[in-house]
Amino acid sequence: MPSHLLEIDDLSSAELDKVLSLSTQSSEELLLGKGAALLFEKPSNRTRNSMEMAIVQLGGHPVTIRPDEVGIGKRESTGDVAKTLSCYHALIGARVFDHKTVSELSAYSSVPVINMLSDEAHPLQALADLLTIKQEFGQLKGLKIAYIGDSNNVARSLAIGSLMAGVEFSVASPKGYEFSEASLKRIQSVGGQILQTGEPETAVEGANVIYTDVWTSMGQEKESATRLRDFNGFTVTMEMLSLADPESIFLHCLPAHPNEEVTQEVLDSSYSRIWKQAENRMHSARGAIAFLLSNEGV
Ligand code: CP
Ligand code: NVA
């Protein structure tokens, strides 16, 4: 059983399945009288609110810490931040710029650390995505997800989680925005099929789920004009969705930039499950915390 959740493959496939089933249950006692520290180096809407509410639903008390308050690695070393927070809390969540920071927190923490988004990974998002897809289609195995856009943190965790769950994964990114070799190696290490292409039309063919995320992630704002140009042709449109399976659904981790990576029409369409997906951030966060803090194993 993993002590931390820094990337979704810290779980085995059986443990991933267990987290998804815990996500539909409640356990009001697990965090009773206990705290959970949520450290943020970047803004957040869904992650902060879903994590806080998941902790409350488990009987605990969330303490959200803004970037200027603790100053990870600035006011105090990352290791000392982890050791201090471990004195008071049963869990540490961290949203960081550099994945190394969340790894370092986990190395010094005596309580489970959850990555709430780094430049490399967004495991909590992938859990909510897989939960939403499972609820929609009844099972995951045998489905196909097409991700259109930047091969970023969200795409990487989703790709790994999909392959772990027996879902075929195709990704269409412009040249220069494909997965790094290290990420590709990590994705492929879980087995299963990933198709990488430069053509969105090829990726979406027969897909059950079409997924996209912003072209410019937090921390990349200076590249935004270049990215806007480079991603031309990668907007998810109704026309693109018509090439997918007729029963397909559209997902986006949010926040969206309407009419950049996806049209407003798609966001509002009958394909869209973005609000169910956003709600599921809370349920899957509760499942992930319950799994990490319980001694049940699989
Ligand atoms: N999807 C997601 O992580 O949203 P926030 O950045 O608002 O937390
Ligand atoms: N890829 C985006 C996801 C935000 C939830 C980012 O890192 O900013």
Side-chain angles (χ1 to χ4, degrees):
M1 192 151 81
S3 32
H4 306 291
L5 182 62
L6 306 189
E7 175 56 294
I8 194 158
D9 59 3
D10 286 339
L11 304 169
S12 65
S13 292
E15 288 169 340
L16 168 60
D17 211 42
K18 175 83 182 175
V19 170
L20 295 183
S21 80
L22 284 172
S23 303
T24 57
Q25 298 166 27
S26 179
S27 166
E28 286 161 27
E29 303 287 307
L30 200 65
L31 276 172
L32 204 63
K34 295 183 180 163
L38 305 176
L39 283 164
F40 287 89
E41 286 187 341
K42 302 178 186 177
S44 171
N45 180 4
R46 280 143 291 272
T47 305
R48 175 184 172 176
N49 285 287
S50 60
M51 282 291 279
E52 285 200 8
M53 288 316 299
I55 290 157
V56 167
Q57 289 169 358
L58 292 169
H61 177 80
V63 177
T64 291
I65 303 160
R66 295 168 51 84
D68 49 333
E69 288 173 332
V70 161
I72 313 173
K74 293 186 189 102
R75 185 168 180 267
E76 196 164 21
S77 74
T78 307
D80 284 1
V81 170
K83 285 181 195 169
T84 304
L85 294 174
S86 306
C87 297
Y88 316 124
H89 296 287
L91 175 84
I92 299 172
R95 168 166 285 200
V96 299
F97 282 100
D98 188 342
H99 191 81
K100 286 194 199 90
T101 307
V102 80
S103 300
E104 206 177 336
L105 285 169
S106 70
Y108 288 93
S109 171
S110 55
V111 298
V113 172
I114 298 184
N115 177 8
M116 302 196 297
L117 182 140
S118 66
D119 55 344
E120 283 184 9
H122 200 2
L124 288 174
Q125 183 63 53
L127 290 174
D129 302 340
L130 293 172
L131 180 63
T132 309
I133 296 165
K134 192 174 177 188
Q135 287 172 340
E136 184 69 28
F137 295 99
Q139 95 294 331
L140 291 168
K141 210 171 168 56
L143 296 174
K144 176 180 169 182
I145 300 180
Y147 179 96
I148 311 300
D150 190 19
S151 300
N152 60 14
N153 42 11
V154 167
R156 181 177 117 149
S157 295
L158 182 64
I160 297 173
S162 299
L163 298 190
M164 284 170 66
V167 175
E168 204 181 311
F169 196 84
S170 61
V171 51
S173 303
K175 209 168 163 31
Y177 297 93
E178 301 97 343
F179 284 119
S180 67
E181 263 187 44
S183 285
L184 197 58
K185 213 167 145 198
R186 180 105 179 220
I187 295 164
Q188 285 169 334
S189 73
V190 297
Q193 275 207 335
I194 174 166
L195 167 81
Q196 287 201 102
T197 168
E199 291 164 9
E201 296 73 17
T202 307
V204 299
E205 212 184 305
N208 306 97
V209 180
I210 315 300
Y211 199 117
T212 191
D213 182 17
V214 291
W215 293 338
T216 303
S217 284
M218 290 180 277
Q220 299 173 331
E221 289 77 8
K222 280 191 193 137
E223 299 169 24
S224 128
T226 314
R227 284 173 171 265
L228 210 51
R229 208 177 48 233
D230 292 349
F231 281 88
N232 186 25
F234 283 76
T235 304
V236 176
T237 59
M238 292 299 273
E239 202 184 348
M240 199 186 281
L241 290 183
S242 72
L243 303 172
D245 186 275
E247 305 292 313
S248 65
I249 60 167
F250 170 78
L251 297 179
H252 190 312
C253 59
L254 304 177
H257 290 174
N259 303 321
E260 286 187 19
E261 74 276 5
V262 57
T263 62
Q264 186 68 53
E265 191 182 10
V266 168
L267 287 165
D268 295 337
S269 72
S270 59
Y271 293 98
S272 178
R273 299 290 183 278
I274 56 174
W275 301 117
K276 182 72 194 155
Q277 184 186 8
E279 181 191 327
N280 275 337
R281 287 295 309 273
M282 177 174 70
H283 303 305
S284 54
R286 197 177 61 241
I289 296 168
F291 179 74
L292 287 173
L293 294 180
S294 65
N295 297 312
E296 276 184 58
V298 175

